Amino acid sequence: MALKQYTLESVESSRILTIEWDMMDKSRFFTLNLVNSFFLRASLYPFTVIKTRLQIQKRYNVYRGTYDAFKKILNYEGIHGLYKGFWINTIQLVSGLGYITTYEKVRHILTEYANIKDKRVKGLIGGGCGSLVGQTIITPFDVISQHMMMMGQRNSSLIKLTESSNTLNIDLNHKHRGTVALSVVKELYKRDGLKGFYRGYFASLYTYVPGSALWWMFYPLYSEWLASLLPLSASHLLIYCMAGPMSGISVCIITNPMDVVRARIQVQRANSFLGTSSLLWKEEGLVILTKRLSARLLQSSMFSFLVVLGYETLKRWSVYDQYKDQIRW
């Protein structure tokens, strides 16, 4: 395969060189990405559980905040409580590959065939397309894992985190942990059929497609801005690791209300995005703008930092030999 030549002159014309799709060994990149994604997901999964429970509860009927939720889950459910639904959630690694492949390929197509050079535009379009593919794969497993996250035990009796009669009420007493996921699948299918596994799909698209598009738009924007402030000798990896959390925080603030609505739809089995939004507005008012935003900001900033650290490092490890002397760490 003919490789596009990236000359030293073209590298020096920009403070930051983006490692493009055709500069990498794909098999090496995908293998390393799977391993990295698994350990990243395992590290941050407890924050996902806490965020979901805080979003689903009505006001403060169970948890008063992020730390209170963390403490109560550990006290009443043990470390296992922070990892409920984790193994089902890890199937999302497949969607992660679909996401990153779509993102990189769309950027490549926009560069080669549409002659679009602006990194922000390519990031906006590529990020949105990547999320669309990823959410189509991920939604059924997201629905199942979120129901499992909501299953808490306290003194062997089921904690009801919401007052909605629409939530699944599966008694965990005497159930082996390995059968809980199967019980959720059976109950969802019995109540809603196959469409139950795609409940909240469009709400997920409303939340994650714009969120992903905006993240990949902010990412080069913040990277270039930071590069203009720092010395020329500054590490590119450091710049990226600073830009990632900044992008994540920006997106969280913008999309938080949509994420709250999405979580309610998927777990409480609501029927519409607008209906759920209206109900939340009546229950919470302006609080919906910041509802459990602290947990989401913490998760997103950590996730963005680790994702960028892994993503940019793996790209550098996967770059073809002919480009290695052009890439700055």
Side-chain angles (χ1 to χ4, degrees), residues 14-16 226-239 327-329:
S14 174
R15 295 280 320 268
I16 296 217
L226 289 168
S228 69
L229 298 177
L230 297 173
L232 285 171
S233 58
S235 164
H236 284 183
L237 193 58
L238 173 63
I239 291 172
I327 305 300
R328 187 197 299 175
W329 283 76

Side-chain angles (χ1 to χ4, degrees), residues 217-227 239 243 246-247 250:
M217 182 191 74
F218 284 132
Y219 183 51
L221 181 67
Y222 286 134
S223 297
E224 295 291 352
W225 177 67
L226 289 168
I239 291 172
M246 292 171 66
S247 302
S250 300

Side-chain angles (χ1 to χ4, degrees), residues 197-314:
F197 298 98
Y198 270 90
R199 183 174 293 278
Y201 172 65
F202 290 107
S204 294
L205 294 185
Y206 297 152
T207 303
Y208 291 125
V209 171
S212 175
L214 289 171
W215 194 97
W216 287 106
M217 182 191 74
F218 284 132
Y219 183 51
L221 181 67
Y222 286 134
S223 297
E224 295 291 352
W225 177 67
L226 289 168
S228 69
L229 298 177
L230 297 173
L232 285 171
S233 58
S235 164
H236 284 183
L237 193 58
L238 173 63
I239 291 172
Y240 286 133
C241 287
M242 293 170 64
M246 292 171 66
S247 302
I249 290 171
S250 300
V251 171
C252 273
I253 294 171
I254 295 171
T255 64
N256 192 65
M258 293 180 285
D259 193 50
V260 174
V261 174
R262 175 200 59 80
R264 281 288 183 97
I265 289 174
Q266 290 185 331
V267 178
Q268 294 186 348
R269 303 171 62 249
N271 291 321
S272 72
F273 188 87
L274 289 177
T276 304
S277 300
S278 176
L279 178 62
L280 275 167
W281 179 259
K282 291 178 182 177
E283 291 178 357
E284 311 280 357
L286 289 173
V287 175
I288 191 176
L289 298 175
T290 57
K291 185 176 177 66
R292 306 310 161 236
L293 183 59
S294 61
R296 193 162 177 243
L297 286 174
L298 180 62
Q299 180 206 30
S300 181
S301 57
M302 291 179 63
F303 183 78
S304 294
F305 172 80
L306 293 174
V307 162
V308 167
L309 178 62
Y311 174 68
E312 295 294 346
T313 299
L314 296 184

Side-chain angles (χ1 to χ4, degrees), residues 170 180-192 197:
I170 298 174
V180 175
L182 183 59
S183 298
V184 172
V185 171
K186 288 181 178 178
E187 185 67 17
L188 279 170
Y189 184 76
K190 183 172 74 174
R191 292 197 181 193
D192 296 317
F197 298 98

Side-chain angles (χ1 to χ4, degrees), residues 117-137:
K117 305 299 182 183
D118 193 314
K119 296 177 183 178
R120 294 164 297 182
V121 174
K122 291 192 293 183
L124 183 72
I125 299 173
C129 292
S131 183
L132 178 62
V133 171
Q135 286 305 311
T136 301
I137 301 171

Side-chain angles (χ1 to χ4, degrees), residues 10-107:
S10 67
V11 174
E12 291 169 355
S13 67
S14 174
R15 295 280 320 268
I16 296 217
L17 172 66
T18 300
I19 299 175
E20 301 292 354
W21 185 243
D22 55 357
M23 299 170 66
M24 294 187 295
D25 181 330
K26 313 304 184 299
S27 60
R28 187 189 308 169
F29 177 72
F30 285 138
T31 301
L32 292 172
N33 188 67
L34 275 175
V35 175
N36 177 68
S37 295
F38 176 81
F39 285 106
L40 177 62
R41 195 173 294 276
S43 301
L44 296 178
Y45 191 77
F47 294 102
T48 302
V49 173
I50 291 170
K51 181 200 72 172
T52 300
R53 290 194 178 189
L54 289 173
Q55 286 180 329
I56 297 304
Q57 72 172 359
K58 290 186 177 180
R59 295 191 179 274
Y60 298 97
N61 67 336
V62 179
Y63 306 121
R64 294 191 301 273
T66 302
Y67 177 72
D68 185 57
F70 179 78
K71 184 171 64 173
K72 285 182 177 177
I73 292 172
L74 275 183
N75 287 342
Y76 298 131
E77 304 168 55
I79 192 68
H80 170 67
L82 295 170
Y83 280 91
K84 286 184 175 176
F86 173 71
W87 291 109
I88 289 294
N89 195 266
T90 56
I91 299 175
Q92 296 180 5
L93 293 176
V94 177
S95 72
L97 284 180
Y99 174 92
I100 200 64
T101 302
T102 302
Y103 166 74
E104 292 287 358
K105 287 295 290 182
V106 168
R107 289 185 76 257

